[in-house]
Amino acid sequence: MRILAWAFMICGLFVVPNMGVAQSAATLIADRLFIENDRALVATGNVEAFFGTAKLKAKTIRFDRISGELKIEGPITLEDGDDISIMASAAELDRKLQSGILTGARMVLNQQLKLSATTISRREARYNELYEASATSCNTCNNGEAPLWQIRAKRVTHDQVENQLYFEQARLLIRDIPVLYIPRLRLPDPSMKRASGFLIPSLKTTSQLGTGIKVPYFIAMGPHRDVTLTPYVSVRTQTLEFRYRQAYRKGEIELNGAVTRDDERSGKVRAYLFGTGQFELPHDYKLDFGIESASDDSYLTEYGYSSKDRLSNKIGISRAQRDQYVNGSVLNFKSLRDGEVNATLPTLVIDGAFERRYFPQYAGGELRLGMNAHGHYRASDADIIGRDINRLNGDVDWLKSYMLTNGLVISAQTGAGFDVFNIAQDSTFATTQSNATARTGLTFRFPMTRQKQNAAEHLEPILQLGWAQKTGALVPNEESTRTEFDEGNLISLSRFTQADRRENGGVAALGVNWTRQHIDGGRMAFSLGQVFRSTTDTDFTRSSGLTGTTSDLLLAGQLQYPGGLDLSFRSLLDQKFDFTKTELRANWRLDRASIGGHYLWLTNDTAENRPDDISEFNIAGTFDVSRHWTARADWRFDTADDRSATAGLGFTYNNECVSVDLSVDRSYTASTSIEPSTNLGFTVGLRGFSARTGTKRYERTCRK
């Protein structure tokens, strides 16, 4: 019969006195309990002892009331909270289970890191000292096989308060082969989420910089900010990378950068700085900024920091509410492209926008008011190529919808807008210009739905009739130089991207949407549309699909298959049914693999600075070779030039104690500032010294 014994409390042996008042006590449960020689309390058979967060299981516990020590026979299991578990063959502990010595012991931290030792000494409920110890996060079997990796040390001290592990005379072994000796080593235990120290190093080889090593060091500067410094050293470069992060009560910032001295530009310091930040301001306003800067045109690409060829710096304030939107921003651009001169580009841009919605009761519908201010400036003072422009635009629109008894939906829109321009450094245009535009339109929709046994179909023909009359002088087209014709602006009274251009004359847009939704989750959708005008608008480029009095034919569709296949396409066909623009995307997800592809075709258009056709596709995918191995590959091919642009291949190995990543990437792009390059990457990470990240599925099992 199992006995619930409170003898420790009755005898006062487990009572901790404090000024004569009992503060805490232990509880003992055992199958058999007796007193030996009027001195020792002995518990045997399924013994369990509890004190605070500590829980002890053992075969036999012998308590000496004179010395106050516990002598314990194993097998022993001692659990201290949820993160520490100790197994031992024998132990001598104090009455609070907080101090003492355990022999033949093994400690597991956060169910990840396993530490074995001849003896473990517990002190002050804080320190666990392991002698002749080894540490690993690999699963070990009883067949004598060494773990994949382990750290052996003369002594390991675990600080439960600081969540740190201190190794003395440590050796890193791969299987049983020593590969690294470190006299003193400090590492965070698995429960530590933020701790200063070295992170996973990596090897990197490039055709331009040779073979180098990166050794990141993380510095925790408090609970809300940190710095990571990463020296990158190879035979051709000496680089210090850094990352700074700080979280505020209502915002955060992050800065990434590097400083370099290398053989590519001998004697010169190369550097870059990228940064982002977001903050919440009073009255629902938000502040955001971005920083992008590089010392030269090829630095980012050579070191793999970014593939951007145009850098932007921005600071902006905005507020978005149900019926109001406010935005103001200042941007600065810098081009890294060959052939582009920053002095003749609009590198400084100032934007401001205000929109407000009203719902008048006397007229019904919705009233929209909008104001937009914009200015962009060039550093050049030359005539025409150094042109600077400021503009102010205002719009007022009234919208209302009606539904007839037969299901026909009629939407009416009428409005007006004004534009004021200030043009500097362009002798071909007057300094001050102004325009006014009146517009109105009716849109007819006739949605029809049919329900089938396993699917529902929706068909919606659409017709828009619109008219706009613009008066005023012509101004240079600076902002609406790239107009896309798609499903989003098929029904619109102006398809230009910015308010420096507005459509003029009569217009009719005709389209149809069809959707089929299957009960198993599959979905098909197709759209077709075309625009007809009374007059030609020469501000639309040839490849926009909107030139002439009849636009190109718009075709678009999506397919979602329950098995994980997603397809989408969008195409423009001219009057001869030749493709002028095509985009196709596909993604296929399987249990062990995923593959995605993208194809793009753009016809040549000198108005968009594209003298040649663009035709390219890229494919990327991953495949789980086994439970531990994953392969990935990507390839981008320029079919117009019949050559590869980029290619990459990588392999990743993961199990419960190690992560290995091997990759090779090739860039074939060449310019006056960038050369073709090949990058090799190799990273090995030892698991078990960070917070758990869901690696349970990688755990290995022992063969029987």
Side-chain angles (χ1 to χ4, degrees), residues 406-409 444-449 458-463:
N406 62 355
L408 180 66
V409 179
F444 303 88
R445 300 174 183 267
F446 193 63
M448 295 173 284
T449 301
H458 179 81
L459 180 66
E460 185 183 49
I462 304 173
L463 171 64

Side-chain angles (χ1 to χ4, degrees), residues 184 320 528 644 682:
R184 290 185 179 273
L528 182 148
S644 294
F682 181 66

Side-chain angles (χ1 to χ4, degrees), residues 173-279:
L173 286 80
I174 305 299
R175 293 300 184 185
D176 271 336
I177 303 175
V179 296
L180 183 65
Y181 173 77
I182 305 175
R184 290 185 179 273
L185 176 65
R186 176 178 61 84
L187 294 170
D189 75 12
S191 63
M192 189 67 175
K193 295 183 179 181
R194 290 172 54 85
S196 298
F198 288 100
L199 302 179
I200 299 173
S202 61
L203 293 175
K204 182 178 180 180
T205 299
T206 73
S207 56
Q208 292 175 297
L209 303 175
T211 301
I213 185 171
K214 292 186 177 184
V215 184
Y217 188 84
F218 179 81
I219 304 173
M221 305 173 67
H224 306 299
R225 58 177 178 168
D226 56 62
V227 172
T228 302
L229 301 177
T230 306
Y232 170 34
V233 180
S234 76
V235 294
R236 299 178 186 174
T237 182
Q238 294 179 349
T239 298
L240 178 63
E241 302 172 356
F242 64 87
R243 183 191 67 184
Y244 176 79
R245 300 183 302 179
Q246 182 163 355
Y248 300 87
R249 187 169 60 91
K250 292 187 177 182
E252 60 183 14
I253 62 173
E254 179 175 335
L255 301 175
N256 291 273
V259 180
T260 294
R261 281 189 176 274
D262 58 22
D263 294 344
E264 295 296 307
R265 302 203 175 193
S266 181
K268 294 185 178 181
V269 176
R270 310 177 73 186
Y272 91 97
L273 177 65
F274 280 16
T276 59
Q278 303 86 31
F279 293 91

Side-chain angles (χ1 to χ4, degrees), residues 456-651:
E457 294 183 354
H458 179 81
L459 180 66
E460 185 183 49
I462 304 173
L463 171 64
Q464 184 195 48
L465 300 175
W467 171 86
Q469 182 63 52
K470 183 176 69 173
T471 60
L474 292 176
V475 295
N477 186 0
E478 289 267 275
E479 302 170 69
S480 297
T481 57
R482 303 289 189 275
T483 301
E484 296 289 335
F485 178 36
D486 54 31
E487 311 97 300
N489 60 16
L490 173 63
I491 304 301
S492 177
L493 294 180
S494 182
R495 294 167 184 83
F496 288 109
T497 56
Q498 295 294 336
D500 65 333
R501 280 292 184 275
R502 299 181 188 267
E503 291 193 38
N504 192 32
V507 62
L510 181 64
V512 60
N513 297 320
W514 178 83
T515 304
R516 177 185 173 90
Q517 185 72 47
H518 202 270
I519 193 172
D520 62 2
R523 182 178 182 272
M524 289 188 294
F526 294 96
S527 298
L528 182 148
Q530 198 164 21
V531 177
F532 305 91
R533 287 192 182 80
S534 60
T535 58
T536 299
D537 196 326
T538 57
D539 287 321
F540 287 118
T541 60
R542 183 172 68 91
S543 60
S544 70
L546 294 167
T547 56
T549 57
T550 302
S551 74
D552 289 352
L553 182 64
L554 169 67
L555 294 175
Q558 300 87 36
L559 170 64
Q560 294 178 348
Y561 185 68
L565 177 63
D566 293 338
L567 294 172
S568 65
F569 74 91
R570 180 183 294 111
S571 298
L572 295 179
L573 287 79
D574 62 17
Q575 308 302 318
K576 298 179 181 179
F577 288 95
D578 292 329
F579 288 100
T580 60
K581 189 176 296 186
T582 295
E583 184 179 20
L584 173 65
R585 294 181 181 271
N587 289 283
W588 193 13
R589 297 176 300 277
L590 301 172
D591 291 338
R592 296 179 55 187
S594 66
I595 185 170
H598 176 218
Y599 174 75
L600 177 67
W601 159 263
L602 294 175
T603 188
N604 64 83
D605 192 341
T606 55
E608 294 188 0
N609 297 324
R610 190 170 58 251
D612 301 315
D613 295 341
I614 291 179
S615 176
E616 67 176 35
F617 68 84
N618 63 71
I619 300 175
T622 62
F623 176 68
D624 293 335
V625 181
S626 65
R627 191 157 61 106
H628 302 293
W629 283 97
T630 299
R632 64 97 178 159
D634 62 85
W635 180 37
R636 185 163 67 91
F637 187 82
D638 190 335
T639 55
D641 289 345
D642 194 25
R643 64 179 181 86
S644 294
T646 61
L649 182 66
F651 294 92

Side-chain angles (χ1 to χ4, degrees), residues 70-142:
L70 291 170
K71 292 187 177 180
I72 309 167
E73 297 179 10
I76 301 169
T77 300
L78 176 60
E79 297 178 358
D80 194 350
D82 297 329
D83 298 330
I84 301 176
S85 179
I86 300 176
M87 287 72 73
S89 58
E92 294 184 5
L93 299 172
D94 66 3
R95 68 181 71 184
K96 294 182 287 185
L97 311 178
Q98 302 299 315
S99 299
I101 297 176
L102 299 93
T103 58
R106 184 185 184 201
M107 184 168 65
V108 180
L109 301 180
N110 203 32
Q111 302 181 26
Q112 293 186 70
L113 187 63
K114 309 170 187 69
L115 298 101
S116 302
T118 56
T119 60
I120 296 180
S121 175
R122 286 175 59 83
R123 294 189 293 110
E124 304 172 9
R126 174 174 178 174
Y127 300 102
N128 294 311
E129 294 182 347
L130 295 82
Y131 297 89
E132 302 299 330
S134 66
T136 184
S137 59
C138 301
N139 283 348
T140 55
C141 304
N142 295 324

Side-chain angles (χ1 to χ4, degrees), residues 229-370:
L229 301 177
T230 306
Y232 170 34
V233 180
S234 76
V235 294
R236 299 178 186 174
T237 182
Q238 294 179 349
T239 298
L240 178 63
E241 302 172 356
F242 64 87
R243 183 191 67 184
Y244 176 79
R245 300 183 302 179
Q246 182 163 355
Y248 300 87
R249 187 169 60 91
K250 292 187 177 182
E252 60 183 14
I253 62 173
E254 179 175 335
L255 301 175
N256 291 273
V259 180
T260 294
R261 281 189 176 274
D262 58 22
D263 294 344
E264 295 296 307
R265 302 203 175 193
S266 181
K268 294 185 178 181
V269 176
R270 310 177 73 186
Y272 91 97
L273 177 65
F274 280 16
T276 59
Q278 303 86 31
F279 293 91
E280 295 181 7
L281 303 179
H283 307 294
D284 296 328
Y285 282 95
K286 293 184 178 181
L287 170 70
D288 67 279
F289 69 85
I291 301 172
E292 295 178 351
S293 178
S295 59
D296 55 80
D297 294 351
S298 61
Y299 182 63
L300 296 175
T301 304
E302 285 180 6
Y303 282 79
Y305 295 133
S306 175
S307 59
K308 285 190 170 185
D309 55 6
R310 281 178 177 165
L311 306 181
S312 63
N313 296 275
K314 174 190 175 182
I315 183 169
I317 297 177
S318 63
R319 182 176 70 176
Q321 296 177 318
R322 177 179 174 83
D323 298 320
Q324 187 184 85
Y325 175 74
V326 180
N327 176 65
S329 61
V330 178
L331 300 95
N332 177 256
F333 295 95
K334 179 183 179 181
S335 175
L336 307 180
R337 296 182 180 182
D338 290 337
E340 290 191 345
V341 181
N342 282 284
T344 59
L345 296 176
T347 53
L348 179 61
V349 178
I350 300 175
D351 259 317
F354 173 82
E355 294 183 14
R356 177 75 180 183
R357 299 196 309 170
Y358 298 92
F359 301 91
Q361 296 182 355
Y362 58 89
E366 176 185 336
L367 182 65
R368 295 182 183 177
L369 300 178

